Amino acid sequence: MREQLADGTLVVEVRRLVDTAAVERLGWIRANARAAIEATGQDAVTISAFTGVSVGTVKGFLDQTDTSIKNVLLIALALGLSLTDLERPPAEFARLLRDRRSGHRGHASLSD
């Protein structure tokens, strides 16, 4: 480990691992936001109206363009979700949507 630290390879490997995890979770957030928009019958125009984030930014984020964390948070809140809700594997998020839509576990439904 000392050698890796001395030659910089440890830092490079840790950065690679962090980047890989971030890319994966960002993919979950995008996929889950798209699923929530579809489940609630909303679209980028509606999300834009609720948040003040431009339609192009909303569409861009959903289609792989990076945006600020504030914009992502605004999109999540406009959907009645938190970033924690969105930052989960899509299969788990689908269960969350089903549970909320059916009113299980004491959660308000997404249409409330």
Side-chain angles (χ1 to χ4, degrees), residues 15-92:
R15 283 183 184 162
R16 186 185 60 76
L17 290 171
V18 169
D19 185 65
T20 299
V23 167
E24 178 182 44
R25 289 180 181 196
L26 185 55
W28 295 348
I29 291 169
R30 281 190 172 104
N32 294 339
R34 283 190 300 270
I37 286 171
E38 183 178 311
T40 59
Q42 297 185 48
D43 59 17
V45 173
T46 305
I47 298 299
S48 174
F50 289 160
T51 63
V53 175
S54 76
V55 173
T57 298
V58 174
K59 286 181 178 181
F61 173 70
L62 297 173
D63 291 331
Q64 304 300 323
T65 302
D66 290 339
T67 190
S68 73
I69 190 68
K70 181 180 179 188
N71 288 343
V72 176
L73 180 57
L74 288 168
I75 292 166
L77 292 173
L79 292 165
L81 300 164
S82 69
L83 288 178
T84 303
D85 291 332
L86 293 176
E87 188 190 1
R88 60 184 73 211
E92 185 180 326

